[in-house]
């Protein structure tokens, strides 16, 4: 029984960090909730995975610009379809 509880605790510790490695925000045009992976400040030319919570779709996007504001960060990305999206993320 001790070993079972130990393995459950180890598995929980391995899964928990995977859920907190995303950066949360919203799409400025549609107000859909989104998250960016990886959880770091992107630079122009980087690629990021953008997950839209409202329709549960993820896509890899190219970062066109990053603008830091007082409490938010605006990340402009271009989707594989060529659509520009402005994502307003939590401040860093």
């Amino acid at each position: 029984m001790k070993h079972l509880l130990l393995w459950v605790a180890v598995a929980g510790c391995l899964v928990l960090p995977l859920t907190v490695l995303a950066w949360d925000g919203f799409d400025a045009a549609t107000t859909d909730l989104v998250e960016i992976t990886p959880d770091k400040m992107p630079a122009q030319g980087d690629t990021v995975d953008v997950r839209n919570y409202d329709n549960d779709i993820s896509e890899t996007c190219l970062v066109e610009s990053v603008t830091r504001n007082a409490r938010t960060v605006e990340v402009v990305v271009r989707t594989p379809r060529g659509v520009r999206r402005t994502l307003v993320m939590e401040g860093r």
Side-chain angles (χ1 to χ4, degrees):
M1 186 67 170
K2 286 184 189 178
H3 297 291
L4 178 62
L5 291 175
L6 177 65
W7 283 110
V8 169
V10 169
C13 290
L14 293 175
V15 171
L16 181 63
L18 294 177
T19 61
V20 296
L21 295 178
W23 189 14
D24 294 322
F26 65 93
D27 187 313
T30 63
T31 67
D32 292 344
L33 296 177
V34 297
E35 71 179 15
I36 292 178
T37 307
D39 182 26
K40 65 175 187 157
M41 182 74 70
Q44 184 177 0
D46 288 349
T47 57
V48 293
D49 292 325
V50 177
R51 179 172 178 248
N52 190 331
Y53 282 114
D54 290 353
N55 56 18
D56 202 26
I57 294 176
S58 295
E59 57 189 354
T60 302
C61 300
L62 178 67
V63 176
E64 291 189 345
S65 68
V66 178
T67 306
R68 296 186 79 151
N69 299 318
R71 294 194 173 130
T72 61
V73 177
E74 292 182 11
V75 181
V76 178
V77 297
R78 184 168 300 276
T79 67
R81 298 180 313 264
V83 177
R84 290 181 76 194
R85 297 177 70 185
T86 301
L87 308 176
V88 180
M89 310 307 292
E90 297 173 339
R92 292 286 160 142

